[in-house]
Each structure stands twice: as structure tokens, then as C-alpha cells.
Amino acid sequence: MSAPAIVSTAPVARAGAAAKKTGVKHRRAILTFVLPFGTLFALFYLVPIGYAIQRSLLVIERDGTFGQAREVFGGLSQYVLVFQNGPFWRSIARVLTFGAVQVPVMLGLALLFALLLDSPLLRGKKFFRLAFFVPYAVPGVIAAIMWGFLYSPKLSPFSAVTENVDFMSADLVLWSIANVVTWVYVGYNMLIIYSSLLAIPTELYEAARLDGAGQVRIAWSIKIPLIMPAIVLTAIFSIIGTLQLLAEPQVFRSFSSAVTSTFTPNLTVYSTSSIPNFNLAAAFSVVLALATFVLSFTFLKFTARKEAK
């Protein structure tokens, strides 16, 4: 009977030690790349959120009418005031109406421009790509001031139109703001969609053309389904931006009395903090952030469920 073979475990041990050492190196590399982002994310995102939540749980108390003010823990009393505040909820309803019209129009134009840039039929693509994107390079405040002058009957070079149509009236000012937002952000969303189009293999187009498909059919049956994740991404960004609308209505307050201090949720927060009532403004901000999260997450789950079918 032969003696049992003795298997050396040294190579296995050395391999395990090498893998462990490599893992340590990788962890250090990961930390090197993640730490700067994590630090900035914590300082400028998590800490402000925590501070806002902490301030929203405080109330101001005074000893008598002219007594010294002091902050004490008030529980959810600020949130009770938020849910009782009619102008705040009307401002949310207003921006949701705004988004229901403006976001599809903006993304539709962005998709159309991206498809045109990706089409072999278009000439001068570099010029049009720059022309579509240039409005996004204009700061939102400057764009709002520029369009405010264009809408003004006495200042606009299109006075024949602005003297007959009051773009700053209570009925039209919301859609005048929508026009400004659309003009600014179409190019930004177009670049996201166009970048997704460039990642599609050209072999798919060649196969479709061999089957007799034209450019419209290729766009509808191949391009749009494949770039749907990019469209969903731009839609989520747009939903978040809609609920955070501030710069344009704030500027338009100088041009129109129809834009009040509670015209949008962020204007409500801004005007409340200017009283000043920082604790109530913090409660408004927390509720608005939660509403934005719920709406964005619901839209994401809805689109994911439709794609899964």
C-alpha cells in the first residue's frame, strides 16, 4: 500500500496572501478616488440637510411681547404650520401644472434636435450643435432678465406683439417663465440624449437600412427605444428642476406684479426666511425635498415597470 501523497499548502497560502495584499491596495485606491467626493457630498449635502431638519424642529419663544427671543424644541409644530399653509400648497400645484406642460415640450424638442444631429441628412452639425447648446451657457438670471425685456411692451423690439399680448399678465406669466426655462435647458438635455445616441452601434442602422427602413423608421424603432434610459434621466432632472424653480420667477417679480412672493415653493421658502422665520422656512424646505423625492422616485418606478413589460 503506497503512502498518501502530501499536498503542500504553501502555494495556496501565498496566493491568498497576494490576493489579500491586492485587495488592500484596491481599497486604498478606491478610498483615494471616493474620499474627495464623499467629503464634499457630506459637507455640502448631508450636513445642510441635517441642519435644516434640526432647525425645522425648533420654535421661537419670548417672555412677554418684548422679551428676549430664544429657540426651544417644538417637535412637529412647524410642520403643522406647513400643512396648514394654503399658498405653499397652491405654489406646488402651480409648478406641477407648469411641469406637466413644460417638461414634455422641452424633452420633445431636445429629442428632436438630438435625432437631427445624429441624422446623416443634416449638414453643418457642429454649427447646429453649438447653436442648440449656447442658451444653456447663459446664466438663468441673465436669461430671465433678457426675456423680461423682450416681453415688456415698452422695451421689447417686438412691440407690435407685446402691446397686444400681455405676456406678464396673471394668465400668461407662468407660461412666459416656461418659455425661458425651455429656451435655456433644451440644449443641455439634447447633449445628454445625443451622447446616448452616439453609443449605439452603427451596425444596427446598417442592418435596418438593408431591410428597407428609412431614417424616420430607424429613429422610431431603434434609436428612441435604445436611448430611453437617457430620456428617463433627463425627465427626472427636469422634475427636480421644476419643483426647485426660483431664479426665473424671482427676476420676473421686477417685471410683473402677478408673480407674488409665494408664486413657487422655493419663492415661499425664500420669502419666509427673509421675514426672518428660518425654522418655518426649514420645514418648508424639508417638505419640498420629500415631495421632490417622492415624485421623482414614483416616476422612475413607473418607467422601470413599463420597460419591464
Side-chain angles (χ1 to χ4, degrees), residues 117 122-133 190:
L117 288 177
L122 184 69
R123 298 292 182 266
K125 291 185 180 182
K126 291 184 179 179
F127 167 78
F128 285 107
R129 185 169 59 222
L130 179 63
F132 293 150
F133 183 74
M190 177 207 70

Side-chain angles (χ1 to χ4, degrees), residues 15-306:
K20 187 175 180 180
K21 188 175 181 180
T22 304
V24 172
K25 290 182 178 179
H26 287 173
R27 282 198 294 272
R28 290 175 181 173
I30 292 171
L31 285 175
T32 302
F33 286 106
V34 171
L35 190 60
F37 166 79
T39 303
L40 294 175
F41 182 77
L43 287 177
F44 296 101
Y45 191 80
L46 297 181
V47 172
I49 289 176
Y51 181 68
I53 294 173
Q54 184 261 336
R55 290 301 299 264
S56 70
L57 299 175
L58 302 177
V59 295
I60 301 295
E61 283 190 355
R62 296 178 183 271
D63 295 326
T65 306
F66 302 103
Q68 185 176 4
R70 64 180 185 275
E71 289 184 332
V72 298
F73 180 75
L76 300 177
S77 57
Q78 298 289 5
Y79 292 96
V80 173
L81 295 177
V82 170
F83 285 97
Q84 292 175 348
N85 192 291
F88 175 70
W89 295 104
R90 284 194 291 273
S91 70
I92 288 184
R94 186 177 294 113
V95 295
L96 289 178
T97 304
F98 170 96
V101 177
Q102 188 269 335
V103 171
V105 171
M106 177 180 63
L107 295 185
L109 289 173
L111 176 61
L112 176 62
F113 293 159
L115 290 172
L116 286 174
L117 288 177
D118 194 58
S119 171
L121 303 178
L122 184 69
R123 298 292 182 266
K125 291 185 180 182
K126 291 184 179 179
F127 167 78
F128 285 107
R129 185 169 59 222
L130 179 63
F132 293 150
F133 183 74
V134 159
Y136 181 68
V138 179
V141 173
I142 303 301
I145 293 173
M146 180 185 71
W147 279 96
F149 281 113
L150 291 176
Y151 289 142
S152 178
K154 296 181 180 179
L155 301 173
S156 175
F158 310 105
S159 57
V161 177
T162 55
E163 287 178 356
N164 295 306
V165 181
D166 187 1
F167 291 102
M168 294 296 186
S169 66
D171 295 329
L172 295 179
V173 69
L174 182 66
W175 309 116
S176 299
I177 295 173
N179 179 61
V180 178
V181 175
T182 302
W183 181 78
V184 171
Y185 288 99
V186 161
Y188 169 77
N189 292 296
M190 177 207 70
L191 280 187
I192 295 177
I193 298 172
Y194 181 59
S195 299
S196 184
L197 283 169
L198 294 178
I200 299 176
T202 56
E203 292 82 2
L204 294 176
Y205 305 149
E206 294 173 0
R209 281 192 290 268
L210 290 175
D211 289 339
Q215 290 300 319
V216 175
R217 182 66 177 177
I218 291 174
W220 181 258
S221 299
I222 298 177
K223 293 183 179 181
I224 293 178
L226 290 177
I227 63 171
M228 191 55 66
I231 297 174
V232 172
L233 178 67
T234 55
I236 292 175
F237 286 165
S238 301
I239 291 171
I240 295 172
T242 296
L243 288 170
Q244 293 180 346
L245 194 63
L246 176 64
E248 292 81 7
Q250 177 72 1
V251 171
F252 271 42
R253 290 189 67 189
S254 305
F255 296 95
S256 173
S257 59
V259 181
T260 64
S261 61
T262 58
F263 192 76
T264 67
N266 263 351
L267 268 180
T268 304
V269 175
Y270 179 80
S271 59
T272 303
S273 64
S274 301
I275 294 175
N277 190 343
F278 298 113
N279 301 323
L280 182 57
F284 278 133
S285 301
V286 172
V287 172
L288 180 60
L290 289 174
T292 304
F293 169 77
V294 169
L295 189 61
S296 303
F297 184 76
T298 302
F299 176 80
L300 183 61
K301 295 295 289 184
F302 174 75
T303 53
R305 187 175 300 174
K306 287 195 69 175

